Amino acid sequence: MNLLSRYAECIFWMARYMERAENLARILDVHETFARDTRGATNWFSVVQLNADEKDFFSRHDRPTAEAVIHYYMFDPQNRNSLLSMLRMARENARTLRPWISTEMWTQINVFHNKLLEMSVKDVATQNLSKVCTWIKEECQSHTGITEGTFYRDQGWYFYQMGKYIERADQTTRLLDIKYHTLLPSPVEVGSTLDVSQWTTVLRSTAGYHAFRRVYPRGMSPTTVAGFMLFNEGFPRSVVMCVRQIDGVLTRMRSRYDLRGGAAAMERVDELLAALLSRPIDAVLRDGLHEYLDWIQLQLNVITTEIAQAFFGVQPPLAVQSQSQ
Amino acid sequence: MSVPEGKPSDLLSSYNPGLYFDELFGAMDLPAEHTALIRQRLAALDFDELRRRAQDAERELYNLGITFIVYSDKDAVDRILPFDVIPRVISAPEWAHLERGVKQRVAALNLFLHDIYHDQKILKDGVIPRDLVEGNHNFRPQMIGLDVPFNTYIHIMGTDLVRDRHGTFRVLEDNGRVPSGVSYVVENRHMMQRVFPDLMQDIGIRPVDNYGHKLLDAMVEIAPAGVDDPQVVLLSPGTYNSAYFEHIFLAREMGVPLVEGRDLVVDNDRVYMKTTNGLAPVHSIYRRLDDAFLDPKAFNPDSLLGVPGILEAYRKGNVALANAIGTGVADDKAVYCYVPRMIKYYMDQDPIIPNVDTRICREPDALQYTLDNLADLVVKPVGEAGGYGITIGPRASKAELEDCRAKLLADPSNYISQPVVDLSVCPTVCDEAIEPRHVDLRPFAITGKSSWVLPGGLSRVALKKGTLIVNSSQGGGSKDTWVLEGGAA
C-alpha cells in the first residue's frame, strides 16, 4: 500500500519527538543529582547550553535558576524544546496519523499529553523532579512498547525506526556533551572522585552503567566511557549502534518497497558509519570531544534533510516539525 | 445510594415525559411494548451507579480522542460530544417504515438533481419555481449535462427526522452535501458495549459496524469504468476541521488513505496523491469538503484546502466524487418544502415520511401568515446549518421577534417558517435524576448502484432542560440508537 509523503514525515517526527522527550527527561533527571559545582550547587545553566537555547532563554529569564530552567524545559509552551511542546507536537503528528497508527498508540500519547498539560511547576518542585522525570521516561517507554506491539509493519514502521534512531544518536551525543559543559568552568582533575562520579552519572542517565561495568570491570576513564557511548556495538544507545540501525532500516525499506528515492541519504549514512568506525577514541578525545559530537550532530541533520527530500516531498513545511536542534 | 424519604426507589417511577411522545415509554395511550425489558432493567439500576458508568464512558471518549474541536477567541479546545447512556430504541416495524421513507427520499432527490442538471422537466412543468433552483447559490452550472454513475448524486445522505406529539416521524431537514455524525453512531455503540453489556444482553439489536464496508462498496461502484482495483481516498480539510475525528474514523473503517488537498495533484486531468514513491493514481474520492473549497480554479479561488483542476478531472470522468458536485441545491431549506411534490412528480408516490408543515416566505400568503403568527412559529434562514439563525417564536423575547420581523421583511425569500414541533423526549441521565430531554434522529443512507440505510442513526439530545435545539455546536449530546431485530426473523 502506498504511503503518503505527509504521513511518512509525520511518523518520522512523531518518533523523534517521543525519543527526544525521553532524553530530555533523562537530561533533567541527571542534572539534579549530577551537575553540581564544587560547592554542591546544581549548574542548571548547562542544560540551556546543551540545547543551545541561551538566546531564547535569556529573552525571558534573567538568571538560570533551578525554577526558571525547570519551568522552561518542562512546561514553557513558547519553548519548542520543552517537554510540553514536544508532547504537543508528538500528539499533533499522532492526531494526523490516527488513520494509520493503532488506537492504542494514539490513546497513550493523548492521555500522556493531557496529563502533562494538567501539571504545573508546583508538581515539580525540585524535590519531585526525579519522580516526574521517571514518570515521563516510563510514559515514553510505554509508547515504545505499544508501538513495538501494535504498529503495523509496513513502510510507516521503517520511517518510525529511522526517526527514532536518528534522534537517539543525536541525544546520546548531547548527554555525553554534558561533561563538556559542566566540566569547563571547574578545574576538576581527571580521575578525581568527582570526575568519576560524574562519568558514572552520565552512564546511569542512559541506563548504561551496568553494561559498562560488565565490559570494563576495572577502571573508568573518559576514554572508556566516551568510547562506550560512541562506539560500543551492543549498547542500545551508542551512536554506532543507532547509525547501524538507520543504515539497515533504510536499506531494507528501499529494497522491500522498491523506492526510487533515498540514494543520497543512503550514501550519507554509509559515510557517517565509516567515519565512526575508523576513528579511535583516543584520537577523538585528543582533537576535542565536543567538536566531534558537534560534527556527528551535523551529519545527522544532513541525513534528515536527505530523507526529507527523498520521501517527504520537496516542500514539507506544513507537517508539525522543527529542525533538529 | 440512600433513597431520599418519600421518593420511590425505582429509578423510573418518578419519570414524567409530560405531554410529549416518549421514545422509551411511548405515548400515554400507547405504551411501548418493545421496550419493556429495557425499562425493567433500567429501573433496577442504582442512580449513582448509572452516573458512575456515564462518567466512565465520557472519560473514555476523551482519552480516545473521540472529540470535536471548539474554537474560542484564543484556543482550540477538544470537546467530547456529551454521551447519554440511556439508549433510544426503535422497534422493527417503526424502522421498516423509516427505512422505506429514507430510501424514497434519497431516490426523489437524486431524480431531482439529475433532472435539473439535464432536461429540467420539473422546472418546465412549473412544479418548482425556476429561480429557486437556478438562483440558488448551491446550483452548479458546471454540472449541467454531466452524467454521473447510476445517476446517483447524493451518495451519502443524512435525513433529520423528528417525532411529533402523536409519535409521527417527520422530516425536518435533508443533508445531502457532507452530512456528519455517523462516526458517533458507531462509537456510541462501542461505548455502550463497554459500559452497559448487561443492559444489551439478549435484546437483539441490529449492528451498525458495517457502515465502512458499505461506504467503500459504494465508492468502488462509482469509480471510473475500466479501473480494476480503484484507489479510494477520503479528502479532509485537515486536522483543524471540527469533524476531523469523523474523517479519521471513516478512513480507518474503509481502510483508505485520509488525504488533504495538498496531498493531491491533478496532471493531465487525472488525480494523483503524493507518496514516498512518487505520484500514485486516485480514482474515487469521498470528499468532506464543500463544493466551494473543492477546486480553487473553479470555485472559491482563495481555498487552500482544495485541489486545483479536480473539477475538470471529474468532468472528464477520470475521478469519482461523493457526494457529487452541486447537491446543495437539493438539501436547501426552501427546496425542502417541495420534496413531497417531487416525490409525487417523479415517482408517483405519496411521501412515506411527511415533511413538517412548512411555509415558504417567498410566497406572499406564506409571508403574511408567518408575520401574523410570528410568536407561534419557528423561522429559519434557508442557507444556514448547525442551528444558527433560528428564531423560535414561543421562546423569543419581544426584541428578538422584532428583529426577526425586520429580517423577514427585508429578505423574505431567505426564510421559511414552521410550527413548533413538539420533539419527542427520551429519558436522560441528568444531575439529580433521570429526566425527559428532546431528541431527533439522523439516519444515514449510502447510495451507489442502490440504497442502503444504516439501521438506526444519530440520536441527538438537547441536554439543556426545555431546549429544542440538538446541534452539537449548541450544547447537544447524543445517545446510542437501537433498532430492534424483527420478531422471529
Side-chain angles (χ1 to χ4, degrees):
Chain A
M1 185 165 178
N2 290 311
L3 176 61
L4 283 181
S5 293
R6 185 167 55 85
Y7 279 20
E9 185 173 22
C10 288
I11 293 168
F12 180 84
W13 283 100
M14 177 182 69
R16 289 198 67 158
Y17 282 118
M18 291 308 285
E19 183 69 29
R20 196 179 286 179
E22 180 180 335
N23 278 280
L24 178 54
R26 289 179 183 281
I27 286 172
L28 292 175
D29 195 13
V30 77
H31 261 76
E32 209 203 349
T33 47
F34 159 68
R36 295 173 187 279
D37 60 22
T38 41
R39 284 168 305 168
T42 304
N43 178 8
W44 285 101
F45 184 51
S46 58
V47 185
V48 182
Q49 290 175 306
L50 207 58
N51 289 295
D53 284 328
E54 292 94 331
K55 203 174 151 206
D56 184 61
F57 181 84
F58 286 114
S59 72
R60 271 170 289 148
H61 299 278
D62 294 333
R63 288 186 306 123
T65 60
E67 203 182 33
V69 173
I70 291 169
H71 174 265
Y72 182 77
Y73 281 109
M74 295 283 298
F75 303 118
D76 190 344
Q78 291 177 53
N79 173 16
R80 37 167 233 175
N81 289 329
S82 70
L83 277 163
L84 189 61
S85 297
M86 289 175 193
L87 255 298
R88 199 189 66 237
M89 289 185 276
R91 178 179 179 273
E92 277 305 299
N93 281 311
R95 203 165 113 78
T96 300
L97 290 167
R98 277 177 71 187
W100 197 268
I101 62 178
S102 70
T103 301
E104 289 170 37
M105 283 173 72
W106 154 254
T107 306
Q108 191 263 342
I109 291 182
N110 189 38
V111 172
F112 181 17
H113 169 263
N114 291 342
K115 275 190 198 156
L116 196 63
L117 206 58
E118 285 164 16
M119 288 178 85
S120 70
V121 166
K122 256 191 285 167
D123 301 311
V124 198
T126 19
Q127 57 270 32
N128 278 326
L129 182 61
S130 180
K131 223 167 99 187
V132 174
C133 287
T134 302
W135 168 68
I136 290 166
K137 271 189 285 182
E138 284 171 359
E139 287 286 354
C140 292
Q141 287 162 342
S142 293
H143 162 76
T144 310
I146 291 170
T147 303
E148 196 282 325
T150 65
F151 195 23
Y152 188 68
R153 301 300 200 263
D154 57 11
Q155 266 192 67
W157 171 253
Y158 291 84
F159 282 101
Y160 182 91
Q161 300 292 314
M162 281 192 281
K164 179 168 83 172
Y165 286 112
I166 289 176
E167 187 65 31
R168 187 180 288 177
D170 181 88
Q171 292 296 333
T172 296
T173 63
R174 282 166 208 280
L175 273 161
L176 201 46
D177 217 15
I178 291 181
K179 269 298 275 176
Y180 170 84
H181 285 291
T182 52
L183 260 184
L184 262 193
S186 66
V188 175
E189 292 291 315
V190 171
S192 72
T193 320
L194 183 58
D195 185 47
V196 169
S197 104
Q198 287 182 339
W199 280 116
T200 303
T201 320
V202 168
L203 279 169
R204 283 192 196 279
S205 77
T206 57
Y209 177 72
H210 288 110
F212 175 84
R213 273 288 168 231
R214 221 186 301 161
V215 182
Y216 302 102
R218 282 176 297 278
M220 177 178 292
S221 65
T223 322
T224 51
V225 176
F228 181 79
M229 288 180 66
L230 283 172
F231 304 133
N232 187 281
E233 295 278 356
F235 178 49
R237 312 193 85 81
S238 87
V239 174
V240 159
M241 180 82 163
C242 293
V243 177
R244 272 201 199 286
Q245 294 283 350
I246 301 164
D247 191 63
V249 168
L250 190 53
T251 308
R252 284 198 299 279
M253 181 180 78
R254 292 183 67 221
S255 86
R256 184 162 172 190
Y257 298 100
D258 240 347
L259 300 184
R260 293 184 289 269
M266 201 68 243
E267 263 174 49
R268 294 295 193 153
V269 176
D270 286 341
E271 280 167 21
L272 174 59
L273 189 57
L276 289 169
L277 294 176
S278 66
R279 194 147 172 84
I281 186 65
D282 296 322
V284 168
L285 291 181
R286 192 182 58 232
D287 298 343
L289 178 61
H290 175 69
E291 287 71 20
Y292 186 70
L293 296 173
D294 265 358
W295 176 81
I296 294 174
Q297 288 164 16
L298 190 69
Q299 298 316 300
L300 293 168
N301 280 353
V302 171
I303 290 167
T304 299
T305 308
E306 293 291 356
I307 288 174
Q309 283 177 358
F311 303 113
F312 305 158
V314 194
Q315 293 168 305
L318 285 169
V320 182
Q321 58 150 299
S322 76
Q323 291 171 354
S324 188
Q325 301 152 350
Chain B
M1 180 196 175
S2 64
V3 181
E5 252 179 273
K7 204 174 169 187
S9 63
D10 180 332
L11 201 54
L12 292 173
S13 59
S14 58
Y15 177 80
N16 178 12
L19 297 167
Y20 302 107
F21 185 88
D22 191 278
E23 293 292 341
L24 205 59
F25 287 85
M28 296 323 257
D29 54 344
L30 189 74
E33 277 302 314
H34 62 281
T35 61
L37 183 56
I38 299 165
R39 277 184 278 137
Q40 195 186 324
R41 284 181 184 169
L42 272 174
L45 284 169
D46 175 274
F47 185 68
D48 281 357
E49 165 76 5
L50 196 60
R51 291 270 297 170
R52 191 188 56 73
R53 294 209 208 187
Q55 281 161 6
D56 286 353
E58 296 207 332
R59 182 85 230 160
E60 191 159 348
L61 287 172
Y62 186 65
N63 286 346
L64 284 166
I66 301 175
T67 50
F68 62 97
I69 304 177
V70 180
Y71 291 96
S72 65
D73 300 342
K74 275 163 53 191
D75 292 321
V77 190
D78 269 3
R79 289 265 176 78
I80 57 165
L81 181 64
F83 173 62
D84 186 75
V85 292
I86 300 181
R88 187 259 187 87
V89 185
I90 300 173
S91 72
E94 277 171 354
W95 178 251
H97 167 77
L98 292 181
E99 190 178 26
R100 280 191 303 121
V102 167
K103 283 184 180 174
Q104 181 194 48
R105 198 141 179 127
V106 174
L109 292 177
N110 277 321
L111 287 165
F112 169 70
L113 285 162
H114 182 263
D115 186 21
I116 61 166
Y117 289 125
H118 288 82
D119 299 339
Q120 304 197 328
K121 289 196 198 100
I122 199 164
L123 307 184
K124 287 171 189 157
D125 289 340
V127 178
I128 295 177
R130 179 174 289 274
D131 69 305
L132 196 64
V133 171
E134 292 187 340
N136 189 299
H137 66 276
N138 286 313
F139 182 78
R140 306 286 175 202
Q142 296 91 337
M143 290 297 290
I144 292 173
L146 190 70
D147 290 323
V148 296
F150 317 112
N151 291 337
T152 298
Y153 290 76
I154 302 178
H155 308 90
I156 298 93
M157 163 127 147
T159 312
D160 286 352
L161 304 175
V162 295
R163 208 165 186 187
D164 66 20
R165 196 173 287 219
H166 310 288
T168 306
F169 280 103
R170 291 175 181 275
V171 177
L172 186 67
E173 204 172 299
D174 301 292
N175 296 279
R177 280 169 283 176
V178 278
S180 63
V182 73
S183 56
Y184 293 103
V185 177
V186 181
E187 290 293 348
N188 285 353
R189 180 64 54 82
H190 288 167
M191 194 52 61
M192 283 302 278
Q193 281 162 341
R194 278 195 288 264
V195 297
F196 259 125
D198 39 345
L199 188 64
M200 310 175 87
Q201 186 118 33
D202 303 324
I203 297 285
I205 304 163
R206 292 187 60 184
V208 291
D209 49 14
N210 59 339
Y211 184 85
H213 297 271
K214 294 287 186 181
L215 182 55
L216 184 62
D217 286 348
M219 294 306 299
V220 170
E221 278 172 12
I222 65 170
V227 181
D228 273 348
D229 186 13
Q231 174 71 60
V232 177
V233 301
L234 185 146
L235 174 60
S236 165
T239 56
Y240 297 103
N241 187 268
S242 61
Y244 184 64
F245 168 72
E246 178 148 306
H247 306 164
I248 294 166
F249 172 87
L250 291 170
R252 291 178 78 131
E253 289 295 314
M254 288 195 284
V256 305
L258 187 160
V259 303
E260 296 177 17
R262 58 189 152 122
D263 297 319
L264 300 181
V265 287
V266 176
D267 184 45
N268 200 16
D269 295 329
R270 287 176 191 278
V271 182
Y272 300 89
M273 60 181 178
K274 300 173 192 166
T275 77
T276 51
N277 208 18
L279 298 179
V282 169
H283 307 104
S284 190
I285 302 177
Y286 178 29
R287 49 101 172 204
R288 297 291 302 239
L289 209 56
D290 280 329
D291 286 354
F293 297 102
L294 201 52
D295 186 345
K297 268 189 179 166
F299 306 113
N300 181 355
D302 298 330
S303 172
L304 299 172
L305 305 172
V307 187
I310 199 169
L311 174 70
E312 215 32 54
Y314 179 60
R315 285 184 52 87
K316 291 257 162 68
N318 291 332
V319 70
L321 291 175
N323 288 346
I325 291 172
T327 58
V329 65
D331 74 1
D332 179 90
K333 286 193 180 74
V335 172
Y336 155 90
C337 314
Y338 295 91
V339 174
R341 291 177 222 176
M342 261 180 223
I343 293 171
K344 192 83 197 161
Y345 180 79
Y346 293 118
M347 307 171 78
D348 195 25
Q349 294 173 5
D350 291 319
I352 295 168
I353 311 173
N355 270 11
V356 173
D357 286 330
T358 305
R359 286 184 169 74
I360 307 160
C361 299
R362 59 165 37 231
E363 294 171 0
D365 289 357
L367 176 63
Q368 195 53 51
Y369 176 86
T370 302
L371 292 169
D372 290 347
N373 297 280
L374 208 50
D376 300 320
L377 295 173
V378 179
V379 178
K380 297 177 176 179
V382 292
E384 297 286 332
Y388 290 103
I390 292 181
T391 306
I392 299 177
R395 296 178 194 206
S397 67
K398 264 216 170 89
E400 282 166 336
L401 285 179
E402 284 318 304
D403 182 49
C404 179
R405 182 183 302 278
K407 281 180 179 155
L408 269 169
L409 287 168
D411 185 12
S413 48
N414 192 36
Y415 293 91
I416 57 169
S417 71
Q418 295 169 334
V420 178
V421 180
D422 293 323
L423 261 62
S424 58
V425 293
C426 190
T428 300
V429 181
C430 299
D431 287 343
E432 306 294 331
I434 293 179
E435 294 178 21
R437 289 290 184 270
H438 293 291
V439 291
D440 76 348
L441 177 66
R442 178 181 288 184
F444 292 89
I446 294 173
T447 309
K449 229 182 270 182
S450 59
S451 284
W452 173 82
V453 189
L454 177 69
L458 180 62
S459 286
R460 297 184 296 181
V461 51
L463 293 172
K464 242 166 73 187
K465 196 169 188 162
T467 183
L468 290 168
I469 299 182
V470 295
N471 302 67
S472 59
S473 50
Q474 313 258 323
S478 73
K479 285 171 168 288
D480 192 11
T481 308
W482 293 1
V483 171
L484 303 183
E485 305 272 6

